[in-house]
Amino acid sequence: MLRFAQSPTRDMHLGDLRVAIFNYIVSKQKNQKLLIRIDDTDKENNIEGKEKEILELLNLFSIDYANVVYESENLKYHQKIAMQLMGQKNAFACFCSDAKIEELKESAKKENKSYEYDGFCQTLSDETILNVNSPFIVRIKKPEENIEIKDLLKGNLLYKSSEIDFFPILRHDKTPTDNYASAIDDMLYDISDVITSEEQLIESPRQVHIRKLLNYDKEINYTHIPNVSSDLENSSVKYLIDEGFLPAAIANYLVLLGNDAPKEFFTLEEAIEWFDIKNISKENVHFDIKKLKELNKKHLQSFDEMRLSKILGFADTDIGRLAKLFLNEVSTIKELKEKINLIFSPKSTCEGFEEEFVELKLCLKDAPYIESFNELKTYIIEKTGLKQEKLLTPLSYLLTGTKTTDISEVYPLIKNYLGEIVK
């Protein structure tokens, strides 16, 4: 079984989604289940409603999963196993204050060394511990030997005992730290493959260390995915969706990034057929919004007119054709909606052509159904006498909301809405 873990303490970012997509693809290729885990043990920082948003986004991207679990639901197991580790002297109560820990970190920084907990509380006797009334956290015993993990992309990785350190497993309120809860939950749910971000490189060996202390001997296959950088001020997935990018296009680009794909334009279902996680770039990748716009436009162009129309809030193939016409200028759903909204928005005047605009509006309000643009133009000339720029510029603005749109192409697609447009 594979799992995708996401914390409800922040937005889902592009790198998170890329990890989720890779987990989904590999689970399909291996014919294994995919578990979604909401890492909600950090109660103070959890954002209300964020876990619902995570699941909604995964569903929006058609990422199938077998089950959703919440780390907080396994609290009793996390605490019970922590007590077991303490009983075996593989974990201990730590009474050091936050100020003391900060002092150790500052001292290490001044000496240009990596911070290590000094292990002071590990030496406390049981009697001393019983007589201390201060709050405490629980720390794991530092490994006596180096910890090795096998990574599909990076090969064998060796971590020194000092890098693992005496890291915390329970907070002051006795809730588990994310890293500890993850190690225990991977055991509980019999996880076989962990595809996660490169940011977890130090956390994974710590999880291996916890499981070793518990004599859990199943080997978990690790793949740490390189990070995704971008020049976007907001790199959250929800932001891109709100900006009008299609989930299919975003997924297409995230799989394409740093990958030797057989073609540039594809769906997730097609990617399952050829994707090989061993072939993705071992270096960080850069997310280019211009490239996403290009792919988004291709996906929109691949839709039939009725489907595209429905996305824009209509059920009319003519509106779908109109949207495809506008794709010569724009590339997102949001931009298409803005174009369509301009057509249907009320227009009171046209700067520089105020009198002509009023004349045109009165003329078209009383106009019969007119099939072609040439027939429309002839009708207006006969009724108003307006010609050339005095006709075309204010007419373009009245029908499209801009003075420069080629209305000869647009009119046949909006003729059925003329009464609504010029009201």
Side-chain angles (χ1 to χ4, degrees):
M1 182 181 286
L2 288 85
R3 51 87 164 164
F4 169 68
Q6 181 72 24
S7 168
T9 59
R10 59 176 178 80
D11 290 341
M12 182 187 290
H13 293 141
L14 290 168
D16 304 320
L17 178 61
R18 190 167 181 245
V19 168
I21 289 170
F22 288 176
N23 271 285
Y24 166 72
I25 292 175
V26 173
S27 70
K28 291 296 182 185
Q29 290 176 333
K30 292 192 170 191
N31 197 27
Q32 291 188 22
K33 291 180 179 179
L34 174 62
L35 183 80
I36 304 301
R37 195 183 73 216
I38 306 298
D39 292 352
D40 60 342
T41 60
D42 189 0
K43 294 185 292 185
E44 286 187 8
N45 294 310
N46 287 340
I47 301 172
E48 187 176 351
K50 192 59 67 175
E51 74 281 357
K52 182 182 177 185
E53 182 181 295
I54 292 166
L55 298 177
E56 286 174 348
L57 286 171
L58 293 176
N59 291 332
L60 195 60
F61 281 82
S62 299
I63 295 176
D64 296 332
Y65 47 85
N67 198 11
V68 179
V69 297
Y70 295 81
E71 276 193 340
S72 58
E73 292 177 351
N74 290 328
L75 176 62
K76 63 180 180 181
Y77 296 109
H78 302 145
Q79 292 177 337
K80 183 177 180 181
I81 293 171
M83 288 173 64
Q84 177 185 328
L85 288 166
M86 292 179 78
Q88 296 167 344
K89 301 298 183 183
N90 286 324
F92 58 92
C94 176
F95 299 92
C96 296
S97 65
D98 293 341
K100 172 64 177 176
I101 299 302
E102 283 303 315
E103 183 184 317
L104 290 172
K105 288 180 179 179
E106 282 299 318
S107 177
K109 188 176 179 180
K110 286 177 182 176
E111 296 177 19
N112 202 24
K113 294 180 180 178
S114 298
Y115 160 73
E116 287 182 53
Y117 175 69
D118 59 11
F120 174 77
C121 290
Q122 187 185 21
T123 62
L124 297 177
S125 65
D126 292 343
E127 184 181 358
T128 302
I129 291 171
L130 285 172
N131 290 323
V132 176
N133 294 320
S134 303
F136 65 90
I137 64 171
V138 176
R139 290 182 181 273
I140 200 82
K141 173 185 173 185
K142 185 163 67 173
E144 295 176 0
E145 299 177 349
N146 296 336
I147 298 291
E148 182 179 18
I149 63 170
K150 296 177 182 177
D151 184 272
L152 194 62
L153 288 178
K154 301 179 180 300
N156 290 357
L157 300 173
L158 198 65
Y159 292 84
K160 296 178 181 178
S161 173
S162 58
E163 293 177 278
I164 305 299
D165 203 11
F166 301 92
F167 59 91
I169 61 172
L170 292 185
R171 304 182 181 96
H172 285 108
D173 62 0
K174 306 308 172 282
T175 57
T177 58
D178 292 340
N179 200 35
Y180 171 65
S182 181
I184 302 306
D185 289 350
D186 284 346
M187 293 168 53
L188 293 175
Y189 298 113
D190 196 29
I191 300 300
S192 57
D193 296 80
V194 170
I195 300 172
T196 188
S197 70
E198 202 168 67
E199 295 165 353
Q200 298 296 311
L201 269 172
I202 188 57
E203 306 302 339
S204 296
R206 287 174 174 172
Q207 292 172 20
V208 169
H209 174 50
I210 291 167
R211 290 191 290 268
K212 278 189 173 185
L213 290 176
L214 294 168
N215 296 316
Y216 184 80
D217 56 8
K218 177 174 179 174
E219 186 172 336
I220 294 177
N221 302 310
Y222 281 95
T223 308
H224 291 87
I225 305 299
N227 297 324
V228 178
S229 66
S230 82
D231 296 326
L232 295 170
E233 288 185 15
N234 187 339
S235 61
S236 79
V237 178
K238 188 175 184 302
Y239 169 76
L240 288 178
I241 296 294
D242 291 343
E243 285 297 297
F245 290 98
L246 296 167
I250 298 171
N252 183 166
Y253 188 34
L254 287 174
V255 175
L256 184 65
L257 269 177
N259 210 336
D260 187 18
K263 55 182 180 178
E264 190 174 78
F265 177 83
F266 52 82
T267 64
L268 270 189
E269 288 67 31
E270 291 172 325
I272 292 169
E273 300 300 317
W274 54 260
F275 180 82
D276 188 341
I277 199 166
K278 295 193 298 292
N279 291 338
I280 68 170
S281 171
K282 296 176 176 61
E283 305 298 325
N284 291 347
V285 292
H286 185 74
F287 189 94
D288 182 358
I289 193 67
K290 291 181 181 177
K291 185 63 181 179
L292 177 61
K293 286 182 177 181
E294 180 186 316
L295 285 170
N296 202 68
K297 184 179 290 193
K298 287 182 180 179
H299 279 271
L300 286 169
Q301 288 169 334
S302 73
F303 290 173
D304 64 60
E305 284 81 3
M306 182 56 79
R307 183 183 177 191
L308 186 51
S309 167
K310 287 180 177 179
I311 289 174
L312 296 169
F314 294 81
D316 182 348
T317 54
D318 278 347
I319 296 297
R321 293 189 186 100
L322 179 63
K324 288 200 172 183
L325 194 63
F326 286 144
L327 281 173
N328 293 324
E329 306 171 43
V330 301
S331 55
T332 69
I333 296 169
K334 183 179 179 180
E335 291 168 337
L336 285 176
K337 284 182 176 178
E338 287 170 353
K339 284 280 191 181
I340 302 294
N341 289 341
L342 269 179
I343 290 172
F344 289 95
S345 63
K347 305 163 193 82
S348 57
T349 189
C350 177
E351 188 178 349
F353 300 89
E354 288 82 1
E355 291 181 10
E356 292 87 350
F357 180 84
V358 171
E359 239 184 308
L360 279 172
K361 199 166 188 179
L362 289 171
C363 174
L364 292 181
K365 277 184 176 181
D366 297 327
Y369 176 79
I370 300 173
E371 181 66 31
S372 72
F373 177 67
N374 284 334
E375 290 174 315
L376 176 73
K377 196 162 62 169
T378 300
Y379 174 82
I380 295 171
I381 292 171
E382 288 176 356
K383 292 291 183 181
T384 66
L386 295 172
K387 293 181 181 180
Q388 297 178 344
E389 188 182 5
K390 289 191 175 184
L391 166 62
L392 295 177
T393 301
L395 181 60
S396 174
Y397 185 77
L398 178 60
L399 297 185
T400 69
T402 73
K403 296 178 181 179
T404 57
T405 302
D406 184 354
I407 43 176
S408 64
E409 288 186 291
V410 172
Y411 177 74
L413 304 173
I414 63 172
K415 60 182 184 245
N416 294 327
Y417 300 93
L418 191 61
E420 187 180 345
I421 292 168
V422 300
K423 65 185 177 183

